[in-house]
C-alpha cells in the first residue's frame, strides 16, 4: 500500500488531536495511531510526523488564543454596548424628568400669573367701586348743597319752618315774659323791651314771624332775576312751538304776590 501524503497525514493528525488530552498525548502515541490507521510503518517518517504534530498543536493553540481573544473582544463590546445603552437610558430618563419639571414650572408660573391677574382685577374692581362710591357721595353732597341753596329747597324749608313758627313763637314769647318779669329795671332802660311790654301776644307773634321771614324773603328776591330769565327762555320756546302760557309762567313770591314773566 502506498504511503499517505502530507495533507492526508495532516487531516488524520487533526482528527486525533481533536478532543484529546494534550497533557497525556505524545508524538509517539500519535505515530502509532497513524500506523494503525494506515497499516504502515512510519518509523522512517518519524521526524516528519513529529514536526506535523507539533505544528498542528501550535496551530490549535493559536486558533484557541484567537478564539479566546475574539470572545473577550466580543464580551467587551457587549459590555460597552450595555453600558452605553444604560447611559443613554439614564440620560433619556433625566431628560424626561427635566422636561416634566419644566412643564410643571411653566404650568405653575401660568397659574401664578393667572392668580396675580385675578387679584389685580379684584383690586381694580374694589378701587373702582370705592371711587364710584366716593363720586356718588360727592354728588349727593353737591345735590344737598344745591338743594339747600336753591329756591325750591328754600320754599320747602320755608314751609317746614312755617309749621314750626307757632311753637317757636310761643317759646320765645314765654322767654320774653320771663325776662320781662325778671329784669324790670333793665327793661325800663331798654327801648326794645319797653316796646315788648306794650305788645300783646298776637302782636308779639307777628313781629317774631316777620323777623324770621325777612332773611328768606331777601334770599328769594335774590333768586328772582335768575328765575325770570329761565321763565323767559321757557316762554320763548313755548311760543315757537305754538303753546300758550300756563300757570308755570308766573313767579310766586314768598309773601304771596304773583307776577307774570
Amino acid at each position: 500500500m502506498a504511503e499517505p501524503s502530507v495533507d492526508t497525514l495532516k487531516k488524520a493528525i487533526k482528527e486525533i488531536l481533536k478532543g484529546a488530552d494534550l497533557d497525556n498525548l505524545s508524538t509517539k502515541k500519535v505515530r502509532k495511531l497513524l500506523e494503525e490507521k494506515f497499516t504502515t510503518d512510519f518509523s522512517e517518517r518519524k521526524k516528519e510526523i513529529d514536526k506535523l504534530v507539533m505544528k498542528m498543536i501550535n496551530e490549535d493553540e493559536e486558533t484557541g488564543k484567537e478564539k479566546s481573544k475574539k470572545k473577550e473582544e466580543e464580551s467587551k463590546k457587549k459590555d460597552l454596548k450595555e453600558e452605553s445603552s444604560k447611559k443613554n437610558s439614564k440620560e433619556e430618563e433625566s431628560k424626561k424628568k427635566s422636561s416634566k419639571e419644566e412643564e410643571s414650572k411653566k404650568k405653575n408660573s401660568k397659574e401664578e400669573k393667572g392668580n396675580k391677574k385675578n387679584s389685580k382685577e379684584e383690586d381694580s374692581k374694589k378701587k373702582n367701586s370705592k371711587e364710584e362710591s366716593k363720586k356718588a357721595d360727592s354728588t349727593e353732597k353737591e345735590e344737598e348743597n344745591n338743594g339747600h341753596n336753591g329756591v325750591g329747597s328754600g320754599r320747602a324749608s320755608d314751609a317746614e319752618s312755617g309749621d314750626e313758627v307757632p311753637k317757636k313763637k310761643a317759646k320765645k314769647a314765654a322767654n320774653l315774659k320771663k325776662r320781662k318779669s325778671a329784669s324790670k329795671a333793665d327793661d325800663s332802660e331798654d327801648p326794645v323791651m319797653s316796646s315788648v311790654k306794650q305788645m300783646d301776644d298776637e302782636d308779639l307773634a307777628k313781629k317774631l314771624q316777620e323777623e324770621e321771614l325777612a332773611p328768606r324773603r331777601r334770599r328769594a328776591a335774590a333768586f328772582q332775576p335768575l328765575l325770570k330769565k329761565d321763565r323767559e327762555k321757557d316762554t320763548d320756546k313755548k311760543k315757537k312751538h305754538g303753546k300758550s302760557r300756563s300757570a308755570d309762567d308766573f313767579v310766586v313770591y314768598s309773601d304771596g304776590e304773583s307776577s307774570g314773566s
Side-chain angles (χ1 to χ4, degrees):
M1 186 178 177
E3 291 184 0
S5 64
V6 176
D7 292 332
T8 305
L9 289 171
K10 280 182 178 181
K11 287 180 182 179
I13 292 165
K14 190 174 183 180
E15 288 178 0
I16 292 166
L17 293 173
K18 188 178 180 181
D21 188 6
L22 297 176
D23 293 332
N24 296 321
L25 188 66
S26 63
T27 57
K28 187 177 180 180
K29 284 181 180 181
V30 173
R31 191 175 65 249
K32 283 182 179 182
L33 290 170
L34 289 170
E35 286 176 353
E36 289 176 359
K37 185 176 183 179
F38 293 105
T39 63
T40 304
D41 187 9
F42 291 119
S43 58
E44 291 180 0
R45 298 177 71 180
K46 179 183 176 182
K47 289 182 180 180
E48 184 182 355
I49 290 167
D50 291 341
K51 285 180 181 180
L52 288 171
V53 170
M54 293 303 292
K55 187 179 181 181
M56 294 296 290
I57 289 167
N58 291 327
E59 284 178 358
D60 290 337
E61 288 178 355
E62 286 177 359
T63 53
K65 286 179 180 178
E66 287 177 358
K67 285 180 180 180
S68 63
K69 283 181 181 179
K70 284 180 180 179
K71 284 181 180 179
E72 287 177 358
E73 288 176 356
E74 287 177 357
S75 63
K76 285 180 180 179
K77 286 180 181 179
K78 191 176 181 180
D79 294 334
L80 289 170
K81 283 182 180 179
E82 288 177 355
E83 287 178 358
S84 62
S85 63
K86 286 180 181 179
K87 189 176 181 181
N88 291 326
S89 63
K90 285 181 180 179
E91 288 177 355
E92 287 177 357
E93 287 177 357
S94 63
K95 284 180 181 178
K96 287 179 181 179
K97 191 175 180 181
S98 60
S99 64
K100 285 181 180 179
E101 289 177 353
E102 287 177 356
E103 287 177 357
S104 63
K105 284 180 181 179
K106 287 180 181 178
K107 190 176 180 181
N108 293 325
S109 63
K110 284 181 180 179
E111 289 178 354
E112 288 177 356
K113 286 180 180 178
N115 292 326
K116 286 181 181 179
K117 189 176 180 181
N118 292 326
S119 63
K120 285 181 180 178
E121 288 177 354
E122 288 177 357
D123 294 334
S124 63
K125 285 179 181 179
K126 288 179 181 178
K127 190 175 180 181
N128 291 327
S129 64
K130 286 181 180 178
E131 289 177 355
E132 287 176 358
S133 63
K134 285 182 181 178
K135 286 179 181 179
D137 293 335
S138 63
T139 52
E140 286 179 358
K141 287 181 181 178
E142 288 177 358
E143 288 176 357
E144 287 178 357
N145 292 327
N146 292 327
H148 286 301
N149 293 326
V151 175
S153 63
R155 289 175 181 174
S157 63
D158 290 341
E160 291 176 357
S161 62
D163 295 334
E164 294 177 356
V165 164
K167 293 180 181 179
K168 290 182 179 179
K169 285 192 293 182
K171 191 173 181 180
K172 286 185 178 181
N175 290 327
L176 286 171
K177 284 181 179 180
K178 285 180 182 179
R179 287 170 63 190
K180 182 178 174 183
S181 61
S183 57
K184 290 181 179 180
D186 295 332
D187 291 345
S188 60
E189 294 177 0
D190 191 357
V192 175
M193 294 306 296
S194 62
S195 63
V196 168
K197 283 182 186 179
Q198 297 173 0
M199 292 181 186
D200 58 0
D201 292 335
E202 290 181 358
D203 294 333
L204 184 63
K206 286 180 182 180
K207 187 170 182 63
L208 291 171
Q209 188 175 4
E210 287 176 358
E211 289 177 357
E212 288 177 355
L213 292 173
R216 286 196 291 274
R217 287 177 180 174
R218 286 195 295 270
R219 186 173 61 189
F223 279 96
Q224 288 303 317
L226 297 173
L227 291 171
K228 191 173 182 180
K229 287 181 181 179
D230 293 332
R231 300 293 184 187
E232 287 175 355
K233 287 180 182 179
D234 292 332
T235 52
D236 292 335
K237 287 180 182 179
K238 288 178 182 179
K239 284 178 181 179
K240 286 179 182 180
H241 289 85
K243 292 182 179 180
S244 61
R245 292 196 305 172
S246 62
D248 293 334
D249 296 329
F250 292 92
V251 178
V252 178
Y253 294 99
S254 61
D255 57 355
E257 295 179 358
S258 62
S259 175
S261 56

